[in-house]
Amino acid sequence: MMNAIMYTVDAENQVELEEKTQLINQVLELQHTLEDLSARVDAVKEEILKLKSENQVLGQYLENLMSASSVFQTTDTKSQRK
């Protein structure tokens, strides 16, 4: 009788240990996934900053081209009417 009780307790402990091990493994996997996602977010933020900087440079370049071109110069409508 005592052996049966001991076996039952050991079996319950084994099941509990396996469940805990599975949960620990799931938590570790989720932590790794979170780390990967966090690293990806950081990389995307850096890319966004780089693209914003490039856009500013291109915008300034276009402004300079437009100001240097007579096509984009403002005209004085009063002087044209005379």
Side-chain angles (χ1 to χ4, degrees):
M1 180 73 170
M2 189 61 113
N3 284 342
I5 293 172
M6 296 282 285
Y7 178 75
T8 303
V9 170
D10 285 344
E12 289 174 0
N13 286 341
Q14 184 65 29
V15 168
E16 187 177 316
L17 181 62
E18 288 174 6
E19 288 174 352
K20 285 182 181 180
T21 302
Q22 284 180 333
L23 287 174
I24 289 170
N25 287 337
Q26 287 176 347
V27 167
L28 290 173
E29 184 177 335
L30 289 171
Q31 283 179 335
H32 291 294
T33 302
L34 181 58
E35 289 172 357
D36 292 344
L37 289 172
S38 180
R40 179 69 181 131
V41 166
D42 289 341
V44 169
K45 283 181 180 179
E46 287 179 24
E47 184 68 19
I48 287 171
L49 289 175
K50 178 182 169 189
L51 291 173
K52 281 183 179 181
S53 175
E54 289 177 5
N55 282 345
Q56 287 177 339
V57 169
L58 288 173
Q60 187 63 45
Y61 176 73
L62 287 174
E63 283 182 32
N64 291 342
L65 283 177
M66 289 170 47
S67 66
S69 172
S70 61
V71 174
F72 296 105
Q73 296 297 318
T74 59
T75 58
D76 186 3
T77 55
K78 291 180 182 178
S79 65
Q80 288 180 352
R81 289 182 187 165
K82 289 184 180 180

